Amino acid sequence: MRIDIISIFPEYFAPLGVSLIGKARERGTLDIRLHQLRDWAHDVHRTVDDTPYGGGPGMVMKPDPWGAALDDVLDADPAARPRIVVPTPSGVPFTQKLAMEYAAEPWLLFTPARYEGIDSRVMAEYGSRLRVDEVSIGDYVLAGGEVAVLVMVEAVGRLLPGVLGNARSAVDDSFAPGAMENLLEGPVYTKPPEWRGHRVPEILLSGHHGKIARWRRDEALRRTAKNRPELLSALPPEGLDKHDRALLSELAELAELGFPVGGQDVAD
Ligand code: 6GU
């Protein structure tokens, strides 16, 4: 997969040289190209922002440098067309589903902005010829889109074939389609079996694969009820077995009685 990133802070993307994503780049699975937006700003100060029409606080990114940068990056490979991703807190939510969609694209182009964002005519112009998504990574405001791009590139990159050591890791993700869709993963443990007086749940040491799978599912349901109860109402009923439904009604009852759902933190 090819990924282009146009930013006034290309140095922000140094972490993409590290760990899984860094290795994927070395292997050629990921071809990430960084561009300095100011290279397309031609006044002496290499200005990329200006005051907003209509007034208001902050500055808006000028359309000209973005247009020139995008044209050059697009024209370098006229046979192909990237999907353009514009990070903005006003965008559609970035989800595992969107990450999977992006992982199937041959070419992504990210345009992280600073200030109050990019002049909207840029998105209108390229949106008439290419797929342009305005995407948010959550309900909070960052100082710029760079960190959001790091988040999205990592979420997409780990889904590419061969990037994760263990192919099942991505299959079992909390938000991946399948039996665990919209369920949070439960707690995990490794050696030693006892640490500072805390024992690993005995079932995990038992070797009973069926019982372990059931226990893990119970813990996933408990944790989801406690941390993300709104996800439970989105679970498809046909994805729940008798045992799931019994546990969920027990958890719902506890919640209605004012007990914390999830069992472990009785002190909450
Ligand atoms: Cl994509 N950008 C900025 N600046 N803030 C955000 C965001 C993006 N997503 C959530 N907050």
Side-chain angles (χ1 to χ4, degrees), residues 87-89 135-138 140-142 144-145 148:
T88 164
V135 180
S136 163
I137 63 160
Y140 40 79
V141 180
L142 303 169

Side-chain angles (χ1 to χ4, degrees), residues 33 44-45 47 63 66 70 87 100 110 124 148 164 169 179 183 193 198 231 248 262 264:
R33 305 183 197 182
V44 278
H45 302 294
T47 310
W66 279 110
L70 288 164
M100 294 173 76
F110 290 95
L164 287 186
S169 304
L183 281 185
H198 301 269
L231 292 179
L248 285 176
Q264 286 190 347

Side-chain angles (χ1 to χ4, degrees), residues 68-211:
L70 288 164
D71 286 348
D72 277 354
V73 171
L74 296 175
D75 290 349
D77 190 353
R81 295 140 71 85
R83 181 133 171 206
I84 300 182
V85 183
V86 181
T88 164
S90 325
V92 298
F94 183 67
T95 57
Q96 191 65 22
K97 180 167 169 279
L98 197 51
M100 294 173 76
E101 228 181 282
Y102 288 169
E105 297 278 352
W107 185 8
L108 297 173
L109 168 50
F110 290 95
T111 63
R114 288 268 139 179
Y115 316 109
E116 299 298 312
I118 303 172
D119 186 307
S120 272
R121 290 170 294 182
V122 175
M123 283 67 88
E125 164 72 10
Y126 293 92
S128 69
R129 295 185 265 140
L130 298 161
R131 217 150 157 198
V132 176
D133 299 347
E134 293 182 288
V135 180
S136 163
I137 63 160
D139 292 342
Y140 40 79
V141 180
L142 303 169
E146 283 77 9
V147 169
V149 172
L150 287 172
V151 166
M152 290 189 269
V153 170
E154 181 156 320
V156 171
R158 68 186 280 285
L159 296 176
L160 299 177
V163 172
L164 287 186
N166 178 353
R168 279 220 71 78
S169 304
V171 176
D172 292 339
D173 285 342
S174 285
F175 299 103
M180 297 299 276
E181 186 167 7
N182 285 318
L183 281 185
L184 303 181
E185 276 165 40
V188 294
Y189 303 88
T190 184
K191 291 167 275 298
E194 183 170 330
W195 179 77
R196 297 193 181 179
H198 301 269
R199 296 242 359 125
V200 169
E202 291 303 329
I203 186 81
L204 296 178
L205 311 177
S206 71
H208 286 116
H209 299 297
K211 286 188 185 170

